[in-house]
Amino acid sequence: MSMKPRLMSKTLSILGSKEQPFKLGRQTIVFATQSSGYFADILARELSVARGQIEREIRPSGEHYYRLDVPHREYLMGKDAIFVGSLCTDDDILETLRIGTQLSLMGTNRCVFLIPFYGYSTMNRQQKPGEVVSAKIHALLLSSIPS
């Protein structure tokens, strides 16, 4: 299954900007949330770039364990990462925060977040006093990922 050229062109234009266009190369790796792995597989194949793997485990205490499957600590240093993640659930949001932060801590040159679906987007303003505006809070959380 191949993505249509128009969709791929639109995806690539989203990944970059006029000021800093996104250039693909051997130094680009695609990672994804567990629920968006299928899209990351297609994207990596269509872009002819590496598909990064993430080891996941839920511990008996309920704690989520993640590990980027890399051969050594410096493996991601200077490389570009594309992180694909539909934010359908709170687990997706937390996984994106955790993995996105780790990608930054491991020295990626740039990490582009491709979010095909942004859950809670209908919760974008208060209707009644005291209501939690989830979309705004999630955007604040995502903006805290170091660059």
Side-chain angles (χ1 to χ4, degrees), residues 5 14 36 48 55-56 62 77 84 89-90 97-98 100 107-109 116 118 121 132 146:
I14 291 169
S36 294
S48 300
E55 182 183 328
R56 296 171 175 87
M77 195 160 292
V84 180
T89 67
D90 289 344
L97 285 167
R98 291 168 177 154
T108 54
N109 178 52
Y118 184 62
S121 59
V132 175

Side-chain angles (χ1 to χ4, degrees), residues 49-89:
V49 297
R51 172 69 165 91
Q53 298 300 316
I54 301 171
E55 182 183 328
R56 296 171 175 87
E57 183 182 318
I58 299 178
R59 304 264 167 91
S61 64
E63 178 183 339
H64 290 250
Y65 168 83
Y66 302 96
R67 181 185 159 279
L68 300 177
D69 191 8
V70 293
H72 52 83
R73 291 179 190 269
E74 294 81 23
Y75 182 75
L76 294 174
M77 195 160 292
K79 295 182 180 180
D80 289 336
I82 299 172
F83 188 84
V84 180
S86 285
L87 304 181
C88 302
T89 67

Side-chain angles (χ1 to χ4, degrees), residues 2-12 46:
S2 181
M3 290 179 82
K4 295 180 180 174
R6 185 173 170 202
L7 177 60
M8 182 53 64
S9 163
K10 187 170 183 133
T11 300
L12 288 175
E46 291 292 320

Side-chain angles (χ1 to χ4, degrees), residues 85-102:
S86 285
L87 304 181
C88 302
T89 67
D90 289 344
D91 283 345
D92 291 335
I93 292 165
L94 290 173
E95 183 174 351
T96 300
L97 285 167
R98 291 168 177 154
I99 301 300
T101 300
Q102 186 62 28

Side-chain angles (χ1 to χ4, degrees), residues 12 15-29 47 49 79-82 109-110 112:
L12 288 175
L15 293 176
S17 67
K18 288 180 183 176
E19 300 79 32
Q20 189 175 16
F22 193 83
K23 295 179 182 170
L24 298 170
R26 280 184 259 153
Q27 301 298 312
T28 303
I29 302 175
L47 299 177
V49 297
K79 295 182 180 180
D80 289 336
I82 299 172
N109 178 52
R110 177 172 44 173
V112 175

Side-chain angles (χ1 to χ4, degrees), residues 94-140:
L94 290 173
E95 183 174 351
T96 300
L97 285 167
R98 291 168 177 154
I99 301 300
T101 300
Q102 186 62 28
L103 286 168
S104 177
L105 293 174
M106 292 188 78
T108 54
N109 178 52
R110 177 172 44 173
C111 189
V112 175
F113 292 85
L114 182 58
I115 301 173
F117 177 78
Y118 184 62
Y120 298 96
S121 59
T122 59
M123 297 291 297
N124 61 357
R125 64 181 169 274
Q126 261 187 357
Q127 299 295 320
K128 299 176 185 172
E131 275 186 332
V132 175
V133 184
S134 297
K136 186 180 236 179
I137 292 169
H138 292 162
L140 285 169

